[in-house]
């Protein structure tokens, strides 16, 4: 836990100290030794902002500071120094945060702006922010302990019948196609049938309407060839972190972030394979929309 706190604080400090440089997700995640995929999810849950949104906000706040205390520096020099490519982008983004243009802000900025900022820093403003983030981490870990049963185990090879969906909104229709096929093949209903979602894209790099998710059914025998939209897929045997919980659809993001956090806390590393979910019950059959789900991360 202490090591994880250090990494989060290190990431935030690095961003705040290097706003004038190029700051990509890959660069910051590398600084704190996390994969971009894990770091993006964890950063957003803890801070309430995507990392790029956080960086833009901090750059705008720093530009406001410069506008107030560096009256002799031109607007162009300020926005170029902080990574904005042109005046139009800078102006539009600045107005979004402060409700006025940079020029208007500079004219109305209080004379004691500089002293106010120094006073806030001396009073521990930054430390307060870090404590807030660390509190979020502790709450998340407590949520994990209360809601998850986590184990590390080996899975045998799993043979799946799969239907591809492009976009999160198309996952349910893909499952419907899969179910119709399974009923025709007399594979459903049957005892202990397992439905699975395999994530082939990251929501970090792929828009929600483009992300590729496979709607799958676990088979006893390998599907020999593609049949219409249904095609064979294999999850290779190996070691997995399994987080089991009874959750609603709204809990899925928090479940994944919690499990990745647990993985990092316990010094496991994800291998080059796709994470997936195994559904043991149907949320449509529960009065509160809950279902039992295994969240599975392949590890070395």
């Amino acid at each position: 836990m202490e090591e994880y706190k250090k990494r989060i604080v290190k990431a935030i400090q690095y961003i705040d100290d290097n706003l004038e440089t190029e700051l990509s997700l890959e660069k910051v995640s590398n600084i704190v030794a996390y994969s971009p995929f894990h770091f993006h999810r964890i950063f957003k849950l803890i801070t309430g902002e995507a990392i790029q949104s956080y960086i833009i906000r901090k750059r705008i706040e720093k530009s406001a500071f410069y506008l107030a205390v560096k009256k002799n520096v031109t607007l162009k020099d300020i926005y170029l120094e902080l990574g904005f490519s042109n005046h139009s982008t800078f102006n539009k983004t600045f107005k979004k945060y402060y409700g006025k243009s940079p020029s208007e802000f500079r004219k109305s900025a209080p004379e004691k702006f500089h002293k106010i900022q120094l006073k806030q820093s001396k009073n521990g403003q930054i430390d307060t922010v870090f404590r807030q983030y660390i509190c979020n981490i502790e709450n998340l870990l407590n949520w994990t302990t209360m809601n998850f049963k986590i184990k590390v185990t080996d899975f045998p090879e799993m043979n799946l019948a799969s239907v591809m969906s492009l976009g999160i909104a198309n996952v349910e229709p893909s499952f419907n196609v899969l179910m119709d096929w399974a009923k025709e093949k007399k594979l459903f209903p049957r005892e202990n049938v397992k439905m699975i979602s395999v994530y082939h894209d990251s929501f970090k790099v792929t828009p929600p309407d483009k992300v590729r998710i496979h709607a799958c059914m676990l088979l006893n025998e390998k599907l020999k060839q593609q049949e219409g939209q249904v095609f064979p897929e294999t999850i290779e045997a190996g070691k997995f972190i399994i987080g089991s919980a009874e959750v609603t659809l709204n809990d899925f993001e928090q479940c994944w972030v919690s499990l990745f956090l647990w993985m990092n806390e316990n010094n496991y590393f994800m291998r080059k394979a796709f994470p997936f979910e195994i559904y043991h019950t149907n949320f449509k059959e529960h009065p509160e929309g809950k279902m039992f789900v295994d969240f599975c991360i392949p590890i070395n």
Side-chain angles (χ1 to χ4, degrees):
M1 179 64 183
E2 290 303 317
E3 177 60 28
Y4 187 77
K5 288 179 182 179
K6 290 178 183 177
R7 291 205 215 180
I8 290 297
V9 170
K10 184 177 180 180
I12 295 169
Q13 286 178 324
Y14 181 82
I15 292 171
D16 290 357
D17 291 343
N18 293 275
L19 291 172
E20 295 87 354
T21 67
E22 180 182 352
L23 291 170
S24 65
L25 171 62
E26 289 73 18
K27 186 174 185 178
V28 180
S29 60
N30 185 59
I31 290 293
V32 293
Y34 282 137
S35 75
F37 180 80
H38 302 160
F39 184 67
H40 168 75
R41 285 174 170 266
I42 294 169
F43 188 92
K44 184 175 181 181
L45 190 70
I46 291 170
T47 65
E49 295 178 277
I51 185 169
Q52 287 303 320
S53 297
Y54 177 86
I55 291 170
I56 291 172
R57 178 173 63 80
K58 297 301 290 186
R59 282 175 169 161
I60 288 295
E61 290 174 357
K62 191 161 188 175
S63 72
F65 177 78
Y66 285 168
L67 288 168
V69 304
K70 296 186 176 183
K71 302 289 188 179
N72 60 327
V73 179
T74 67
L75 291 181
K76 184 175 182 179
D77 286 341
I78 290 175
Y79 71 68
L80 288 178
E81 181 178 345
L82 290 171
F84 292 94
S85 58
N86 56 67
H87 180 271
S88 177
T89 301
F90 176 60
N91 190 71
K92 182 178 180 180
T93 308
F94 193 94
K95 288 185 73 173
K96 177 182 175 182
Y97 285 91
Y98 287 97
K100 58 182 68 176
S101 71
S103 298
E104 292 170 334
F105 180 90
R106 169 170 269 177
K107 291 177 183 178
S108 61
E111 294 181 1
K112 296 182 180 180
F113 189 92
H114 189 187
K115 294 181 179 179
I116 292 172
Q117 294 300 308
L118 288 176
K119 184 178 180 181
Q120 288 177 337
S121 296
K122 289 179 179 178
N123 285 345
Q125 182 188 34
I126 294 176
D127 289 340
T128 300
V129 172
F130 287 158
R131 282 198 298 271
Q132 174 188 338
Y133 292 157
I134 290 169
C135 181
N136 288 344
I137 298 170
E138 292 172 341
N139 289 338
L140 183 57
L141 289 173
N142 289 336
W143 185 92
T144 303
T145 301
M146 293 175 61
N147 293 277
F148 257 141
K149 291 182 179 179
I150 299 177
K151 63 181 179 181
V152 177
T153 189
D154 290 312
F155 271 173
E157 180 180 86
M158 289 186 279
N159 298 310
L160 309 176
S162 303
V163 175
M164 183 176 68
S165 64
L166 291 176
I168 190 71
N170 292 317
V171 173
E172 185 171 354
S174 294
F175 270 114
N176 291 337
V177 170
L178 181 62
M179 295 299 293
D180 289 342
W181 172 86
K183 290 175 182 177
E184 187 176 313
K185 295 291 182 178
K186 309 298 183 185
L187 297 173
F188 187 86
R190 59 186 167 92
E191 189 176 358
N192 295 325
V193 63
K194 294 292 186 294
M195 309 304 290
I196 297 173
S197 288
V198 181
Y199 291 85
H200 286 260
D201 286 322
S202 165
F203 283 94
K204 179 264 160 183
V205 297
T206 307
D209 62 337
K210 299 290 192 302
V211 69
R212 182 161 63 102
I213 303 171
H214 290 181
C216 310
M217 175 183 287
L218 182 62
L219 302 178
N220 294 326
E221 297 180 357
K222 185 175 293 186
L223 184 64
K224 295 181 180 180
Q225 61 185 13
Q226 183 168 344
E227 300 180 12
Q229 295 184 55
V230 181
F231 57 89
E233 183 171 5
T234 301
I235 295 176
E236 295 182 358
K239 184 179 291 186
F240 294 83
I241 296 173
I242 313 297
S244 303
E246 185 180 24
V247 293
T248 68
L249 291 174
N250 292 331
D251 297 323
F252 274 43
E253 176 70 10
Q254 183 162 357
C255 286
W256 277 116
V257 173
S258 299
L259 201 59
F260 280 121
L261 175 57
W262 187 93
M263 179 186 75
N264 292 323
E265 283 287 297
N266 289 275
N267 299 312
Y268 290 105
F269 298 92
M270 184 176 176
R271 56 186 161 89
K272 290 185 178 180
F274 301 112
F276 57 93
E277 300 156 354
I278 303 176
Y279 312 117
H280 297 280
T281 58
N282 188 342
F283 73 94
K284 293 183 178 179
E285 298 173 357
H286 192 283
E288 297 177 13
K290 293 183 177 181
M291 56 185 150
F292 283 101
V293 183
D294 289 339
F295 297 84
C296 308
I297 301 176
I299 57 174
N300 295 315

